[in-house]
Amino acid sequence: GAVVSQHPSWVICKSGTSVKIECRSLDFQATTMFWYRQFPKQSLMLMATSNEGSKATYEQGVEKDKFLINHASLTLSTLTVTSAHPEDSSFYICSAREHTEAFFGQGTRLTVV
Amino acid sequence: ILNVEQSPQSLHVQEGDSTNFTCSFPSSNFYALHWYRWETAKSPEALFVMTLNGDEKKKGRISATLNTKEGYSYLYIKGSQPEDSATYLCASSGGGADGLTFGKGTHLIIQP
């Protein structure tokens, strides 16, 4: 199957700082990528849909000014958590679709202290 | 059914035994049902994508069925092996370009 690479795999940051997470499709082009997060004992929840060359669409309850998404090329989407707070600590994972299948990165464990 | 539900939440199975678990999903606005196998610190591995009612798919010892009318899918593992230990996720989508709605997963532990 197709390969999606996500970095970093974990990050610890101070409250108030910003963190950027990268998601790359390595062997295919993805006009659309997706960002999910998972809180403990919960399911993966879709945060936003990242569209190459246009604005991302956010799910209800997800603050677009806090979670900045940039999808400047067909193989790279980035998620920036701005002014991070402890409640943003979570597991973030990206996905890219190729035909009917969705392929995932390894995820990023974010801890805000 | 409003959400994707998986049962059981966790499952211990003896090596060599066969097992199965369930995914329930909203049957309205349905496009596809996805199954993933997810090991710690790795990317979720795509197992199956099914779209048609009555679909059955197989990959080695793992197979899955789909009933879109009643909104459920089963995943079967035949002759469980220790390497089958993982969390199995199912997810539904409402369109080919849509994001996925996930269940909480079934955590499978194969005991030697």
Side-chain angles (χ1 to χ4, degrees), chain B residues 3-99:
Chain B
N3 298 315
V4 176
E5 304 283 349
Q6 290 188 249
S7 65
Q9 191 173 0
S10 66
L11 190 55
H12 288 69
V13 175
Q14 206 67 34
E15 181 178 355
D17 288 350
S18 297
T19 187
N20 65 85
F21 25 92
T22 308
C23 173
S24 302
F25 57 90
S27 53
S28 61
N29 194 32
F30 170 83
Y31 177 78
L33 193 284
H34 303 247
W35 279 102
Y36 291 88
R37 179 177 176 276
W38 196 7
E39 293 182 78
T40 304
K42 295 185 178 179
S43 303
E45 174 195 353
L47 292 175
F48 306 111
V49 181
M50 296 180 288
T51 57
L52 299 176
N53 185 45
D55 258 353
E56 292 187 29
K57 294 207 172 179
K58 186 176 180 181
K59 183 186 287 189
R61 295 180 291 99
I62 305 176
S63 60
T65 61
L66 179 66
N67 182 321
T68 60
K69 292 184 178 179
E70 296 181 41
Y72 65 84
S73 174
Y74 292 124
L75 188 81
Y76 301 89
I77 301 177
K78 185 177 179 181
S80 303
Q81 299 298 309
E83 58 265 29
D84 296 329
S85 297
T87 296
Y88 291 81
L89 299 176
C90 83
S92 70
S93 64
D98 288 358

Side-chain angles (χ1 to χ4, degrees), chain A residues 25-56:
Chain A
S25 56
L26 296 186
D27 49 3
F28 68 104
Q29 293 183 329
T31 55
T32 304
M33 291 186 177
F34 303 89
W35 288 95
Y36 298 81
R37 64 181 169 186
Q38 183 181 38
F39 292 107
K41 299 189 177 182
Q42 299 299 312
S43 59
L44 289 169
M45 293 292 291
L46 180 65
M47 296 176 66
T49 301
S50 169
N51 304 297
E52 188 266 335
S54 65
K55 291 183 179 180

